[in-house]
Amino acid sequence: VSYNLTGWLEKNKDPLNDTIVEMIKNGSNSLMIACFADHPGQPLEASKDAPDRKKKGGGKTVSSYFKGQLDDLMTTLYKTEPHFIRCVVPNTHKQPGGVESGLVMHQYQCNGVLAGIAICRAGFPNKMTYPEFKARYNILAAKLVAKDKKTNKAAASGLLEVIKLDKEKYRCGHTKVFFRAGILGFMEEVREDRIGSVLAWLQAGARGKSSRMNFKKLQDQKLSLYCCQRALRNRKIATTWRWMEIWMAIKPT
């Protein structure tokens, strides 16, 4: 790693206290007096009886500046939820896109990432409260959850048994249900499949209803057309029928 030292001394000068500078200027060393000739030094102390006399602290040292920065950093950290990132060197040749598997695995083993993953997989890292679990996954066994409204633990256990989840992959506590790593992803997939099937059922019902309504409309139009055809045919026959002509001639007005 290369460093740029340009202006390093100017950036890292430690400010001296005004009192110390004033003592150096009042000393007997001419070289030191010449070095701090342009420094204003400590201001003259105002009279105790002066009405506008104010207290003034010393100069800001490196330690006080660092302490202020540290306080600001801790305040920011307490307001947020920090996440730690582990940097891994992909290769030793500084080539973009190049990955050395042995080097990467060695870093994972040394910094404890693999051990942490193994510990998480051996335990139950994911957890969820019973009300939250019921609210999110009650669609998987709605009748069972509705039956066990008072006992959240029994409803959660019954729901997990309905989807045939292995008992070694979850544990039911007093207030929460615990899952092994990766089980919540499986639960989300099952939930999405169930939602998809419900939406397909609703879509099929809506399409069936729409198709039946269109068929009924076409059927009514067909029957109306038949009725009009019969009426027109009968009128045509009646106007050319001789007996009808005699009847129309002799009927009373």
Side-chain angles (χ1 to χ4, degrees):
V1 179
S2 60
Y3 296 93
N4 186 6
L5 300 181
T6 304
W8 187 84
L9 292 177
E10 296 295 332
K11 296 177 182 178
N12 293 274
K13 282 184 177 180
D14 292 340
L16 296 178
N17 192 283
D18 293 341
T19 304
I20 298 176
V21 175
E22 188 67 23
M23 292 176 62
I24 293 175
K25 292 177 68 175
N26 296 330
S28 58
N29 193 322
S30 59
L31 177 61
M32 299 299 293
I33 294 174
C35 291
F36 292 94
D38 298 334
H39 197 282
Q42 186 177 17
L44 297 176
E45 186 177 358
S47 176
K48 294 183 179 180
D49 299 333
D52 57 346
R53 182 176 181 273
K54 298 181 180 179
K55 293 183 178 180
K56 185 176 181 181
K60 195 172 186 180
T61 62
V62 176
S63 61
S64 62
Y65 181 71
F66 177 75
K67 182 180 179 182
Q69 286 187 328
L70 184 60
D71 292 338
D72 295 339
L73 176 61
M74 294 305 297
T75 303
T76 304
L77 290 178
Y78 285 134
K79 292 180 180 178
T80 59
E81 297 180 0
H83 298 275
F84 297 96
I85 301 174
R86 295 187 181 273
C87 299
V88 177
V89 180
N91 59 76
T92 56
H93 304 289
K94 297 182 180 180
Q95 294 179 353
V99 178
E100 297 179 7
S101 302
L103 177 63
V104 174
M105 291 302 297
H106 177 70
Q107 295 177 79
Y108 282 153
Q109 290 175 354
C110 292
N111 59 23
V113 173
L114 296 181
I117 295 174
I119 293 172
C120 289
R121 293 184 65 86
F124 300 88
N126 300 322
K127 57 188 176 181
M128 188 179 295
T129 60
Y130 286 122
E132 183 181 359
F133 181 80
K134 285 177 59 178
R136 185 161 185 81
Y137 299 109
N138 61 351
I139 192 173
L140 301 179
K143 293 182 179 179
L144 179 63
V145 174
K147 186 184 297 183
D148 297 329
K149 289 184 178 180
K150 297 182 179 179
T151 55
N152 294 331
K153 184 175 182 179
S157 301
L159 190 150
L160 292 171
E161 291 177 0
V162 168
I163 63 175
K164 299 180 180 179
L165 185 64
D166 189 4
K167 293 185 178 180
E168 292 297 325
K169 296 182 179 180
Y170 70 91
R171 291 290 188 276
C172 293
H174 293 292
T175 58
K176 297 179 181 179
V177 56
F178 299 84
F179 300 98
R180 292 193 184 275
I183 301 303
L184 277 182
F186 170 75
M187 294 289 295
E188 289 296 323
E189 292 178 359
V190 175
R191 179 175 176 270
E192 290 177 0
D193 293 341
R194 179 60 177 170
I195 292 175
S197 63
V198 172
L199 292 177
W201 174 75
L202 291 173
Q203 189 179 34
R207 286 184 175 181
K209 179 66 175 178
S210 177
S211 299
R212 286 189 292 271
M213 290 175 65
N214 291 333
F215 175 77
K216 186 67 170 61
K217 181 179 179 181
L218 293 174
Q219 189 179 36
D220 294 340
Q221 291 176 354
K222 181 180 179 181
L223 295 176
S224 299
L225 182 61
Y226 286 164
C227 183
C228 293
Q229 288 178 347
R230 285 195 301 269
L232 293 174
R233 188 181 300 113
N234 293 334
R235 187 178 185 282
K236 182 67 175 178
I237 294 172
T239 55
T240 58
W241 190 25
R242 295 296 181 181
W243 288 105
M244 180 59 68
E245 291 178 0
I246 296 172
W247 166 252
M248 294 297 293
I250 65 175
K251 75 173 183 176
T253 58

